[in-house]
Coordinates of all heavy atoms in Angstrom, one line a residue:
M1 N -14.7 -4.6 -5.9 CA -13.9 -5.7 -6.1 C -14.5 -6.9 -5.2 O -14.9 -6.7 -4.0 CB -12.5 -5.5 -5.7 CG -11.5 -6.4 -6.0 SD -9.8 -6.1 -5.9 CE -9.7 -6.3 -4.0
E2 N -14.5 -8.1 -5.7 CA -14.9 -9.3 -4.9 C -13.9 -9.6 -3.7 O -12.9 -9.5 -3.8 CB -15.0 -10.4 -5.9 CG -16.2 -11.2 -5.8 CD -16.2 -12.5 -6.7 OE1 -15.4 -12.5 -7.7 OE2 -17.0 -13.4 -6.5
H3 N -14.6 -10.1 -2.7 CA -13.8 -10.4 -1.4 C -12.9 -9.3 -0.9 O -12.0 -9.4 -0.3 CB -12.8 -11.6 -1.7 CG -13.7 -12.8 -2.5 ND1 -14.6 -13.4 -1.9 CD2 -13.4 -13.3 -3.6 CE1 -15.1 -14.3 -2.7 NE2 -14.4 -14.3 -3.8
Q4 N -13.5 -8.1 -1.1 CA -12.7 -6.8 -0.7 C -12.3 -6.9 0.7 O -11.1 -6.6 1.0 CB -13.6 -5.6 -1.0 CG -13.0 -4.3 -0.5 CD -12.1 -3.7 -1.7 OE1 -12.4 -3.7 -2.7 NE2 -10.9 -3.3 -1.3
D5 N -13.2 -7.2 1.7 CA -12.9 -7.2 3.1 C -11.7 -8.1 3.4 O -10.7 -7.8 4.1 CB -14.1 -7.6 3.9 CG -14.9 -6.5 4.3 OD1 -14.7 -5.3 3.8 OD2 -16.0 -6.5 5.0
L6 N -11.8 -9.4 2.8 CA -10.8 -10.4 3.0 C -9.4 -10.0 2.6 O -8.4 -10.2 3.1 CB -11.2 -11.7 2.4 CG -10.5 -12.9 2.8 CD1 -10.7 -13.3 4.3 CD2 -10.9 -14.1 1.9
L7 N -9.4 -9.3 1.3 CA -8.2 -8.9 0.7 C -7.5 -7.6 1.1 O -6.5 -7.3 0.8 CB -8.4 -8.9 -0.9 CG -8.8 -10.2 -1.4 CD1 -9.1 -10.1 -2.9 CD2 -7.8 -11.4 -1.2
N8 N -8.4 -6.7 1.9 CA -8.0 -5.5 2.3 C -6.6 -5.5 3.0 O -5.7 -4.6 2.8 CB -8.9 -4.8 3.2 CG -9.9 -3.9 2.3 OD1 -9.7 -3.7 1.3 ND2 -11.0 -3.5 2.9
G9 N -6.4 -6.5 3.8 CA -5.1 -6.5 4.7 C -4.0 -6.8 3.8 O -2.9 -6.2 4.0
L10 N -4.1 -7.7 2.7 CA -3.1 -8.0 1.8 C -2.8 -6.7 0.9 O -1.5 -6.3 0.7 CB -3.5 -9.1 0.8 CG -3.6 -10.5 1.3 CD1 -4.0 -11.5 0.2 CD2 -2.4 -10.9 1.9
I11 N -3.8 -5.9 0.6 CA -3.6 -4.7 -0.1 C -2.8 -3.7 0.6 O -1.9 -3.1 0.2 CB -4.9 -4.1 -0.6 CG1 -5.6 -5.0 -1.7 CG2 -4.8 -2.8 -1.3 CD1 -7.0 -4.8 -2.0
R12 N -3.2 -3.6 1.9 CA -2.5 -2.7 2.9 C -1.0 -3.0 2.9 O -0.1 -2.1 3.0 CB -3.1 -2.7 4.3 CG -4.4 -1.9 4.3 CD -4.7 -1.7 5.8 NE -5.8 -0.8 5.9 CZ -7.1 -1.0 5.8 NH1 -7.5 -2.3 5.6 NH2 -8.0 0.0 5.9
L13 N -0.7 -4.3 3.1 CA 0.7 -4.8 3.2 C 1.5 -4.5 1.9 O 2.6 -4.1 1.8 CB 0.8 -6.3 3.4 CG 0.4 -6.6 4.9 CD1 0.4 -8.2 5.0 CD2 1.2 -6.0 5.9
H14 N 0.8 -4.7 0.7 CA 1.3 -4.3 -0.6 C 1.7 -2.9 -0.7 O 2.8 -2.5 -1.1 CB 0.3 -4.8 -1.7 CG 1.0 -5.0 -3.1 ND1 0.6 -6.0 -3.9 CD2 2.1 -4.4 -3.7 CE1 1.4 -5.9 -5.0 NE2 2.2 -4.9 -4.8
V15 N 0.7 -2.0 -0.2 CA 1.1 -0.6 -0.1 C 2.2 -0.2 0.7 O 3.2 0.5 0.3 CB -0.2 0.2 0.3 CG1 0.1 1.6 0.6 CG2 -1.4 0.2 -0.7
L16 N 2.2 -1.0 2.0 CA 3.4 -0.6 2.8 C 4.6 -1.0 2.2 O 5.7 -0.4 2.4 CB 3.1 -1.4 4.1 CG 3.7 -0.9 5.4 CD1 3.6 0.6 5.6 CD2 3.2 -1.6 6.6
H17 N 4.6 -2.2 1.5 CA 5.9 -2.7 1.0 C 6.4 -1.7 0.0 O 7.7 -1.4 0.1 CB 5.5 -4.0 0.2 CG 6.6 -4.5 -0.7 ND1 7.9 -4.9 -0.3 CD2 6.7 -4.4 -2.1 CE1 8.6 -5.1 -1.4 NE2 7.9 -4.9 -2.4
H18 N 5.6 -1.1 -0.9 CA 6.2 -0.1 -1.8 C 6.4 1.3 -1.1 O 7.3 2.0 -1.7 CB 5.2 0.1 -3.0 CG 5.1 -1.0 -3.9 ND1 6.3 -1.3 -4.7 CD2 4.3 -2.1 -4.2 CE1 5.9 -2.4 -5.5 NE2 4.7 -2.9 -5.2
A19 N 5.8 1.6 -0.1 CA 6.0 2.8 0.6 C 7.3 2.7 1.4 O 8.0 3.8 1.7 CB 4.9 3.2 1.6
V20 N 7.8 1.4 1.7 CA 9.1 1.3 2.4 C 10.2 1.4 1.3 O 11.2 2.0 1.6 CB 9.1 -0.1 3.1 CG1 10.6 -0.4 3.4 CG2 8.4 0.0 4.4
E21 N 10.0 0.8 0.1 CA 10.9 0.7 -0.9 C 11.2 2.1 -1.5 O 12.3 2.4 -2.0 CB 10.5 -0.1 -2.1 CG 10.6 -1.6 -1.8 CD 10.6 -2.4 -3.1 OE1 9.8 -2.0 -4.0 OE2 11.3 -3.5 -3.2
G22 N 10.1 3.0 -1.5 CA 10.3 4.3 -2.0 C 9.0 5.0 -1.9 O 8.2 4.8 -1.0
E23 N 8.7 6.2 -2.7 CA 7.6 6.8 -2.7 C 6.5 6.3 -3.6 O 6.8 5.7 -4.6 CB 7.9 8.3 -3.1 CG 8.6 9.1 -2.1 CD 8.8 10.6 -2.6 OE1 9.0 10.7 -3.8 OE2 8.6 11.5 -1.8
L24 N 5.2 6.5 -3.2 CA 4.2 6.1 -4.2 C 3.0 7.3 -4.1 O 3.0 8.0 -3.2 CB 3.6 4.8 -3.7 CG 3.0 4.6 -2.4 CD1 1.6 5.0 -2.5 CD2 3.2 3.2 -2.0
Y25 N 2.2 7.3 -5.2 CA 1.1 8.1 -5.2 C -0.1 7.3 -5.7 O 0.1 6.2 -6.1 CB 1.3 9.4 -6.0 CG 1.7 9.1 -7.5 CD1 0.7 9.0 -8.5 CD2 3.0 9.0 -7.9 CE1 1.0 8.7 -9.8 CE2 3.4 8.9 -9.2 CZ 2.4 8.7 -10.2 OH 2.7 8.4 -11.5
G26 N -1.3 7.7 -5.4 CA -2.5 6.9 -5.5 C -2.6 6.3 -6.9 O -2.7 5.0 -7.0
Q27 N -2.4 7.0 -8.0 CA -2.7 6.5 -9.3 C -1.7 5.5 -9.7 O -2.0 4.4 -10.2 CB -2.7 7.6 -10.4 CG -3.1 7.1 -11.8 CD -4.6 6.4 -11.7 OE1 -5.4 6.9 -11.1 NE2 -4.6 5.3 -12.4
W28 N -0.4 5.6 -9.2 CA 0.7 4.6 -9.4 C 0.3 3.3 -8.7 O 0.4 2.2 -9.2 CB 2.0 5.2 -9.0 CG 3.1 4.1 -9.2 CD1 3.7 3.9 -10.4 CD2 3.5 3.0 -8.3 NE1 4.6 2.9 -10.3 CE2 4.5 2.3 -9.0 CE3 3.1 2.7 -7.0 CZ2 5.1 1.2 -8.4 CZ3 3.8 1.6 -6.5 CH2 4.8 0.9 -7.2
M29 N -0.2 3.5 -7.5 CA -0.6 2.3 -6.6 C -1.7 1.5 -7.3 O -1.8 0.3 -7.3 CB -0.8 2.7 -5.2 CG -0.7 1.7 -4.2 SD 0.9 0.9 -4.0 CE 0.5 -0.9 -4.1
I30 N -2.7 2.3 -7.8 CA -3.9 1.6 -8.5 C -3.4 0.8 -9.6 O -3.8 -0.4 -9.8 CB -4.9 2.7 -8.8 CG1 -5.7 3.3 -7.6 CG2 -5.9 2.1 -9.9 CD1 -6.6 4.4 -7.9
E31 N -2.4 1.3 -10.4 CA -2.0 0.6 -11.5 C -1.1 -0.6 -11.1 O -1.1 -1.8 -11.7 CB -1.2 1.5 -12.5 CG -2.0 2.4 -13.3 CD -1.4 3.6 -13.9 OE1 -0.2 3.6 -14.1 OE2 -2.0 4.7 -14.1
E32 N -0.2 -0.5 -10.1 CA 0.5 -1.5 -9.5 C -0.4 -2.6 -9.1 O -0.1 -3.9 -9.4 CB 1.4 -1.0 -8.4 CG 2.1 -2.0 -7.6 CD 3.1 -2.9 -8.3 OE1 3.5 -2.6 -9.5 OE2 3.6 -3.9 -7.7
L33 N -1.5 -2.3 -8.3 CA -2.4 -3.3 -7.8 C -3.2 -4.1 -9.0 O -3.3 -5.3 -8.9 CB -3.4 -2.7 -6.8 CG -2.7 -2.3 -5.4 CD1 -3.6 -1.4 -4.7 CD2 -2.4 -3.6 -4.5
A34 N -3.5 -3.2 -10.0 CA -4.1 -3.9 -11.2 C -3.3 -4.9 -11.8 O -3.7 -5.9 -12.3 CB -4.5 -2.7 -12.1
R35 N -1.9 -4.6 -11.9 CA -0.9 -5.5 -12.4 C -0.9 -6.8 -11.7 O -0.7 -7.9 -12.2 CB 0.4 -4.9 -12.3 CG 1.4 -5.2 -13.4 CD 2.6 -4.1 -13.3 NE 3.4 -4.1 -12.1 CZ 4.2 -5.1 -11.8 NH1 4.5 -6.0 -12.6 NH2 4.8 -5.1 -10.7
H36 N -1.3 -6.8 -10.4 CA -1.3 -8.0 -9.6 C -2.8 -8.6 -9.4 O -3.0 -9.5 -8.6 CB -0.8 -7.7 -8.1 CG 0.7 -7.4 -8.2 ND1 1.6 -8.4 -8.1 CD2 1.4 -6.3 -8.1 CE1 2.8 -8.0 -8.2 NE2 2.7 -6.7 -8.2
G37 N -3.7 -8.1 -10.3 CA -5.0 -8.6 -10.4 C -6.0 -8.0 -9.3 O -7.1 -8.5 -9.1
Y38 N -5.6 -6.9 -8.7 CA -6.6 -6.2 -7.8 C -7.2 -5.0 -8.5 O -6.5 -4.1 -8.9 CB -5.8 -5.7 -6.5 CG -5.2 -6.7 -5.6 CD1 -3.9 -7.0 -5.8 CD2 -6.0 -7.4 -4.7 CE1 -3.2 -7.9 -4.9 CE2 -5.4 -8.4 -3.9 CZ -4.0 -8.6 -4.0 OH -3.4 -9.5 -3.2
K39 N -8.5 -5.0 -8.6 CA -9.2 -3.9 -9.3 C -9.7 -3.0 -8.3 O -10.8 -3.1 -7.7 CB -10.3 -4.4 -10.2 CG -9.9 -5.5 -11.1 CD -10.1 -5.0 -12.7 CE -9.5 -6.0 -13.6 NZ -8.1 -6.1 -13.5
L40 N -9.0 -1.9 -8.0 CA -9.4 -1.0 -6.9 C -9.6 0.4 -7.5 O -8.9 0.8 -8.4 CB -8.3 -0.8 -5.9 CG -8.5 -1.4 -4.5 CD1 -8.3 -2.8 -4.5 CD2 -7.7 -0.8 -3.5
S41 N -10.7 1.1 -7.1 CA -11.0 2.4 -7.7 C -10.3 3.4 -6.7 O -9.9 3.1 -5.5 CB -12.5 2.7 -7.5 OG -12.9 2.7 -6.3
A42 N -10.2 4.6 -7.2 CA -9.6 5.7 -6.4 C -10.4 5.9 -5.1 O -9.9 6.1 -4.1 CB -9.6 7.0 -7.2
G43 N -11.7 5.7 -5.2 CA -12.6 5.9 -4.1 C -12.4 4.8 -3.0 O -12.8 5.0 -1.9
T44 N -11.8 3.8 -3.3 CA -11.4 2.7 -2.3 C -9.9 2.9 -1.8 O -9.7 2.9 -0.7 CB -11.5 1.3 -2.9 OG1 -12.9 1.2 -3.4 CG2 -11.3 0.2 -1.9
L45 N -9.1 3.1 -2.7 CA -7.7 3.3 -2.4 C -7.3 4.5 -1.6 O -6.6 4.4 -0.6 CB -6.7 3.2 -3.6 CG -5.2 3.2 -3.2 CD1 -4.8 1.9 -2.5 CD2 -4.4 3.6 -4.4
Y46 N -7.9 5.6 -2.0 CA -7.4 7.0 -1.4 C -7.9 7.0 0.1 O -7.0 7.4 0.9 CB -8.0 8.2 -2.1 CG -7.3 8.5 -3.4 CD1 -7.1 7.5 -4.4 CD2 -6.7 9.6 -3.7 CE1 -6.4 7.7 -5.6 CE2 -6.0 9.8 -4.9 CZ -5.9 8.8 -5.8 OH -5.2 9.1 -7.0
P47 N -9.1 6.5 0.5 CA -9.4 6.5 2.0 C -8.5 5.5 2.7 O -8.1 5.8 3.8 CB -10.9 6.0 2.0 CG -11.4 6.3 0.7 CD -10.2 6.2 -0.3
M48 N -8.1 4.4 2.0 CA -7.1 3.5 2.7 C -5.7 4.2 2.9 O -5.2 4.0 4.0 CB -6.9 2.3 1.7 CG -6.3 1.1 2.3 SD -6.1 -0.3 1.1 CE -7.7 -1.1 1.2
L49 N -5.3 4.9 1.9 CA -4.0 5.6 2.1 C -4.1 6.6 3.4 O -3.3 6.8 4.1 CB -3.6 6.4 0.9 CG -3.1 5.4 -0.3 CD1 -3.0 6.3 -1.6 CD2 -2.0 4.6 0.0
K50 N -5.2 7.4 3.2 CA -5.5 8.4 4.3 C -5.5 7.7 5.7 O -5.0 8.2 6.6 CB -6.9 9.0 4.1 CG -6.7 10.3 3.4 CD -7.9 11.3 3.7 CE -7.6 12.7 3.3 NZ -7.5 12.8 1.8
S51 N -6.2 6.5 5.8 CA -6.3 5.9 7.1 C -5.0 5.3 7.6 O -4.6 5.4 8.8 CB -7.5 4.9 7.2 OG -7.0 3.6 6.8
M52 N -4.2 4.9 6.6 CA -2.8 4.3 6.9 C -1.9 5.5 7.4 O -1.1 5.2 8.3 CB -2.2 3.6 5.8 CG -2.8 2.1 5.5 SD -2.1 1.5 4.0 CE -0.4 1.0 4.6
E53 N -2.2 6.7 6.9 CA -1.5 7.8 7.3 C -1.9 8.2 8.7 O -1.1 8.5 9.6 CB -1.6 9.1 6.4 CG -0.8 10.3 6.7 CD -0.9 11.4 5.7 OE1 -1.8 11.4 5.0 OE2 0.0 12.1 5.6
K54 N -3.2 8.2 8.9 CA -3.8 8.6 10.3 C -3.3 7.6 11.4 O -3.0 8.0 12.5 CB -5.3 8.5 10.3 CG -5.9 9.5 11.2 CD -7.4 9.5 10.9 CE -8.2 9.9 12.2 NZ -9.6 9.5 12.0
K55 N -3.1 6.3 11.0 CA -2.5 5.4 12.0 C -1.0 5.4 12.2 O -0.4 4.8 13.0 CB -2.9 3.9 11.5 CG -4.5 3.7 11.6 CD -4.8 2.2 11.5 CE -6.1 2.0 12.0 NZ -7.3 2.3 11.0
G56 N -0.4 6.3 11.4 CA 1.0 6.6 11.6 C 2.0 5.6 10.7 O 3.2 5.6 11.0
Y57 N 1.4 4.9 9.8 CA 2.3 4.0 8.9 C 2.8 4.8 7.8 O 3.9 4.4 7.3 CB 1.5 2.8 8.4 CG 1.0 2.0 9.5 CD1 -0.5 1.7 9.6 CD2 1.8 1.4 10.5 CE1 -1.0 0.8 10.5 CE2 1.2 0.6 11.5 CZ -0.1 0.3 11.5 OH -0.6 -0.6 12.5
L58 N 2.2 5.7 7.3 CA 2.6 6.5 6.2 C 2.6 8.0 6.5 O 1.9 8.5 7.3 CB 1.6 6.4 5.0 CG 1.4 4.9 4.4 CD1 0.2 5.0 3.4 CD2 2.6 4.3 3.9
V59 N 3.5 8.8 5.7 CA 3.4 10.3 5.7 C 3.3 10.6 4.3 O 3.8 10.1 3.4 CB 4.7 10.9 6.3 CG1 4.7 11.0 7.8 CG2 5.9 10.3 5.8
S60 N 2.6 11.8 4.1 CA 2.4 12.3 2.7 C 3.0 13.7 2.5 O 3.1 14.4 3.5 CB 1.0 12.3 2.4 OG 0.3 13.3 3.1
E61 N 3.2 14.0 1.3 CA 3.7 15.3 1.0 C 3.2 15.7 -0.4 O 3.2 14.9 -1.4 CB 5.3 15.2 0.9 CG 6.0 16.6 0.7 CD 7.4 16.3 0.3 OE1 7.9 15.3 0.6 OE2 8.0 17.3 -0.3
N62 N 2.6 17.0 -0.5 CA 2.0 17.4 -1.8 C 3.1 18.0 -2.6 O 3.9 18.8 -2.1 CB 1.0 18.5 -1.5 CG -0.3 17.8 -0.9 OD1 -0.9 16.9 -1.4 ND2 -0.7 18.3 0.3
R63 N 3.3 17.4 -3.7 CA 4.4 18.0 -4.7 C 3.9 17.9 -6.0 O 3.0 17.2 -6.5 CB 5.7 17.0 -4.4 CG 6.7 17.7 -3.7 CD 8.0 17.0 -3.7 NE 8.1 15.8 -4.5 CZ 8.4 14.7 -3.9 NH1 8.3 14.6 -2.6 NH2 8.5 13.6 -4.7
R64 N 4.6 18.8 -6.9 CA 4.3 18.8 -8.4 C 5.1 17.7 -9.1 O 6.2 17.5 -8.7 CB 4.7 20.1 -9.0 CG 3.7 21.2 -8.7 CD 3.5 22.3 -9.5 NE 2.3 22.8 -9.4 CZ 1.2 22.3 -10.1 NH1 1.4 21.5 -11.1 NH2 0.1 22.8 -9.9
D65 N 4.4 17.0 -10.0 CA 5.1 16.0 -10.8 C 4.7 16.5 -12.2 O 3.7 16.2 -12.8 CB 4.5 14.6 -10.4 CG 5.1 13.5 -11.3 OD1 6.3 13.8 -11.8 OD2 4.5 12.4 -11.3
G66 N 5.7 17.3 -12.8 CA 5.5 18.0 -14.0 C 4.4 18.9 -13.9 O 4.4 19.8 -13.0
R67 N 3.2 18.7 -14.6 CA 2.1 19.7 -14.5 C 1.0 19.2 -13.5 O 0.0 19.9 -13.2 CB 1.4 19.9 -15.9 CG 2.5 20.1 -16.9 CD 1.8 20.3 -18.3 NE 1.3 21.7 -18.5 CZ 0.6 22.0 -19.6 NH1 0.2 21.1 -20.5 NH2 0.2 23.2 -19.8
T68 N 1.3 18.1 -12.8 CA 0.2 17.6 -12.1 C 0.7 17.7 -10.6 O 1.8 17.3 -10.2 CB 0.2 16.0 -12.3 OG1 0.2 15.7 -13.7 CG2 -1.2 15.4 -11.8
A69 N -0.2 18.1 -9.7 CA 0.1 18.0 -8.2 C -0.3 16.7 -7.7 O -1.5 16.2 -8.0 CB -0.9 19.1 -7.6
R70 N 0.6 16.1 -7.0 CA 0.3 14.8 -6.4 C 0.6 14.7 -4.9 O 1.5 15.5 -4.5 CB 1.3 13.8 -7.2 CG 1.0 13.6 -8.6 CD 1.6 12.3 -9.1 NE 1.7 12.2 -10.5 CZ 0.5 11.7 -11.2 NH1 -0.6 11.5 -10.5 NH2 0.7 11.5 -12.4
K71 N 0.0 13.7 -4.3 CA 0.3 13.5 -2.9 C 1.1 12.2 -2.9 O 0.8 11.2 -3.3 CB -1.0 13.2 -2.1 CG -0.9 13.4 -0.7 CD -2.2 13.0 0.0 CE -3.0 14.2 0.4 NZ -2.5 15.0 1.5
F72 N 2.4 12.4 -2.4 CA 3.4 11.3 -2.4 C 3.4 10.7 -1.0 O 3.5 11.5 -0.1 CB 4.7 11.8 -2.8 CG 5.0 12.1 -4.2 CD1 4.7 13.4 -4.7 CD2 5.4 11.1 -5.1 CE1 4.9 13.6 -6.1 CE2 5.5 11.4 -6.5 CZ 5.3 12.7 -6.9
Y73 N 3.3 9.5 -0.9 CA 3.4 8.8 0.4 C 4.7 7.9 0.6 O 5.2 7.4 -0.4 CB 2.2 7.7 0.5 CG 0.9 8.3 0.6 CD1 0.1 8.8 -0.5 CD2 0.4 8.6 1.9 CE1 -1.2 9.3 -0.4 CE2 -0.9 9.3 2.0 CZ -1.7 9.6 0.8 OH -2.9 10.1 1.0
R74 N 5.2 7.9 1.8 CA 6.3 7.0 2.1 C 6.0 6.5 3.4 O 5.3 7.0 4.4 CB 7.6 7.7 2.0 CG 7.8 8.9 2.8 CD 9.1 9.6 2.3 NE 9.1 11.0 2.9 CZ 9.4 11.3 4.1 NH1 9.7 10.4 5.1 NH2 9.3 12.6 4.5
A75 N 6.7 5.4 3.9 CA 6.5 4.7 5.1 C 7.3 5.5 6.2 O 8.3 6.1 6.0 CB 7.0 3.3 5.0
T76 N 6.7 5.5 7.4 CA 7.3 6.1 8.6 C 8.1 4.9 9.3 O 7.9 3.8 8.9 CB 6.2 6.5 9.6 OG1 5.4 5.3 10.0 CG2 5.3 7.6 9.0
P77 N 8.9 5.2 10.4 CA 9.4 4.1 11.1 C 8.5 3.1 11.7 O 8.8 2.0 11.6 CB 10.3 4.9 12.2 CG 10.6 6.3 11.6 CD 9.4 6.5 10.8
L78 N 7.4 3.6 12.1 CA 6.4 2.7 12.5 C 5.9 1.8 11.4 O 5.7 0.5 11.5 CB 5.1 3.4 13.0 CG 4.0 2.5 13.6 CD1 4.4 1.8 14.9 CD2 2.8 3.4 13.8
G79 N 5.7 2.3 10.2 CA 5.3 1.6 9.0 C 6.4 0.5 8.7 O 6.1 -0.7 8.4
R80 N 7.7 0.9 8.7 CA 8.8 0.0 8.5 C 8.7 -1.3 9.5 O 9.0 -2.5 9.2 CB 10.1 0.6 8.6 CG 10.4 1.5 7.5 CD 11.6 2.3 7.6 NE 11.8 3.2 6.4 CZ 12.3 2.9 5.3 NH1 12.7 1.7 5.1 NH2 12.2 3.7 4.3
E81 N 8.5 -0.9 10.8 CA 8.5 -1.9 11.8 C 7.2 -2.8 11.6 O 7.4 -4.1 11.7 CB 8.3 -1.1 13.1 CG 8.5 -2.0 14.4 CD 8.0 -1.3 15.6 OE1 8.4 -0.1 15.9 OE2 7.4 -1.9 16.4
A82 N 6.2 -2.3 11.2 CA 4.9 -3.1 11.1 C 5.1 -4.0 9.9 O 4.7 -5.2 9.9 CB 3.7 -2.2 10.8
L83 N 5.8 -3.5 8.9 CA 6.0 -4.5 7.7 C 6.9 -5.5 8.1 O 6.7 -6.7 7.5 CB 6.6 -3.5 6.5 CG 6.8 -4.4 5.2 CD1 5.4 -4.7 4.7 CD2 7.6 -3.6 4.2
Q84 N 8.0 -5.2 8.9 CA 8.8 -6.3 9.3 C 8.1 -7.4 10.1 O 8.3 -8.6 9.8 CB 10.0 -5.6 10.1 CG 11.2 -6.5 10.4 CD 11.8 -7.0 9.0 OE1 11.9 -6.2 8.1 NE2 12.2 -8.2 9.1
I85 N 7.2 -7.0 10.9 CA 6.4 -8.0 11.7 C 5.5 -8.7 10.7 O 5.5 -10.0 10.8 CB 5.6 -7.2 12.7 CG1 6.6 -6.6 13.9 CG2 4.5 -8.1 13.4 CD1 6.0 -5.6 14.9
A86 N 4.9 -8.0 9.9 CA 4.0 -8.7 8.9 C 4.7 -9.6 8.0 O 4.1 -10.8 7.7 CB 3.2 -7.7 8.0
R87 N 5.9 -9.3 7.7 CA 6.7 -10.3 6.8 C 6.8 -11.6 7.4 O 6.6 -12.6 6.7 CB 8.0 -9.6 6.5 CG 8.8 -10.3 5.4 CD 10.1 -9.5 5.1 NE 9.9 -8.4 4.3 CZ 10.4 -7.1 4.5 NH1 11.2 -6.9 5.6 NH2 10.1 -6.1 3.7
G88 N 7.2 -11.7 8.7 CA 7.3 -12.9 9.5 C 6.0 -13.7 9.4 O 6.0 -15.0 9.3
K89 N 4.9 -12.8 9.7 CA 3.6 -13.6 9.6 C 3.2 -14.0 8.3 O 2.5 -15.2 8.3 CB 2.5 -12.6 10.2 CG 2.9 -11.9 11.5 CD 1.8 -12.3 12.5 CE 2.1 -11.7 14.0 NZ 2.5 -12.7 14.9
V90 N 3.5 -13.4 7.4 CA 3.1 -13.7 6.0 C 3.9 -15.1 5.6 O 3.3 -16.0 5.1 CB 3.4 -12.7 4.9 CG1 3.3 -13.2 3.4 CG2 2.4 -11.5 5.1
R91 N 5.2 -15.1 6.0 CA 6.0 -16.2 5.6 C 5.5 -17.5 6.3 O 5.3 -18.6 5.8 CB 7.5 -15.9 6.2 CG 8.5 -17.0 5.7 CD 9.8 -16.6 6.1 NE 10.4 -15.4 5.4 CZ 10.9 -14.4 6.1 NH1 11.1 -14.3 7.4 NH2 11.3 -13.3 5.3
E92 N 5.0 -17.4 7.7 CA 4.6 -18.4 8.3 C 3.2 -18.9 7.8 O 3.0 -20.2 7.5 CB 4.4 -18.0 9.8 CG 4.2 -19.3 10.7 CD 3.8 -18.9 12.1 OE1 4.3 -17.9 12.6 OE2 2.9 -19.5 12.7
L93 N 2.4 -18.0 7.3 CA 1.0 -18.3 6.8 C 1.2 -19.0 5.4 O 0.6 -20.1 5.1 CB 0.2 -17.0 6.7 CG -1.2 -17.2 6.0 CD1 -2.0 -18.1 6.8 CD2 -1.8 -15.9 5.7
I94 N 2.1 -18.5 4.6 CA 2.4 -19.1 3.3 C 2.7 -20.5 3.5 O 2.3 -21.4 2.8 CB 3.3 -18.3 2.5 CG1 2.7 -17.0 2.0 CG2 3.9 -19.1 1.3 CD1 3.7 -16.1 1.3
G95 N 3.8 -20.7 4.5 CA 4.2 -22.1 4.8 C 3.1 -23.0 5.1 O 3.1 -24.2 4.5
E96 N 2.1 -22.6 5.9 CA 1.0 -23.5 6.3 C 0.0 -23.6 5.1 O -0.4 -24.8 4.9 CB 0.4 -22.8 7.5 CG -0.7 -23.9 8.0 CD -1.2 -23.5 9.4 OE1 -0.5 -22.7 10.1 OE2 -2.2 -24.1 9.9
M97 N -0.2 -22.6 4.4 CA -1.1 -22.7 3.2 C -0.7 -23.5 2.1 O -1.5 -24.1 1.4 CB -1.6 -21.3 2.8 CG -2.4 -20.4 3.7 SD -2.7 -18.7 3.1 CE -4.0 -19.0 1.9
M98 N 0.6 -23.6 1.9 CA 1.1 -24.3 0.8 C 1.6 -25.7 1.1 O 2.3 -26.4 0.4 CB 2.3 -23.4 0.2 CG 2.0 -22.1 -0.3 SD 0.5 -22.0 -1.3 CE 0.0 -20.3 -1.4
E99 N 1.4 -26.2 2.4 CA 1.8 -27.5 2.8 C 1.3 -28.4 1.8 O 0.1 -28.4 1.4 CB 1.3 -27.8 4.2 CG 2.3 -27.5 5.2 CD 1.8 -27.6 6.6 OE1 0.7 -28.1 6.9 OE2 2.4 -27.1 7.6
Ligands
ZN101 ZN1 3.8 -4.4 -6.0

């Protein structure tokens, strides 16, 4: 994807937003991001989810979804707190960018 480095932070916040709202799994998140115009491969998203888990923002659980085994992610208390902080920063940035 073009401008990947620059957009990575936004993608992480988007992931965190959905992980706070409920559970998500990789393929669902790839489709959700595609809907918003981000073309991410599993090879890019999966390591991102793993690193967010390692940093303590997400926890995962392996579960069956019908016949498919999936890794479901949700936000930890740290992830919720980080999203709250980011929300304030995004609001301020948008205010300045859209002046
Ligand atoms: Zn979304």
